[in-house]
Amino acid sequence: MEYVTVMKGTAAIMIGEEIIELKQWDSVSFTADVEHGYVNRDQECETVLHFVMTYSGSTT
């Protein structure tokens, strides 16, 4: 799983075919093996994201 919180600014997060617009303090979670990406659409403002990723299964 991947968890993302916008700490400052705004971000557009693409998860699969869906685009989610997030503002400061908004969060989203998703299965991290899905194609995803992050965009700061406001070039005038800095965006800070906080990520938490969890892994399960074998480490070998």
Side-chain angles (χ1 to χ4, degrees):
M1 288 296 293
E2 188 163 328
Y3 304 86
V4 181
T5 301
V6 178
M7 305 303 289
K8 179 180 178 183
T10 62
I13 301 180
M14 185 228 9
I15 304 169
E17 298 295 320
E18 182 178 8
I19 297 175
I20 301 171
E21 300 283 343
L22 299 178
K23 300 176 289 193
Q24 186 175 19
W25 308 123
D26 288 344
S27 297
V28 65
S29 64
F30 54 93
T31 304
D33 61 353
V34 174
E35 182 177 348
H36 58 281
Y38 313 93
V39 176
N40 174 6
R41 294 187 190 215
D42 183 358
Q43 298 301 313
E44 300 292 318
C45 182
E46 177 181 59
T47 295
V48 177
L49 302 177
H50 179 263
F51 295 89
V52 174
M53 294 173 227
T54 61
Y55 301 93
S56 63
S58 175
T59 60
T60 59

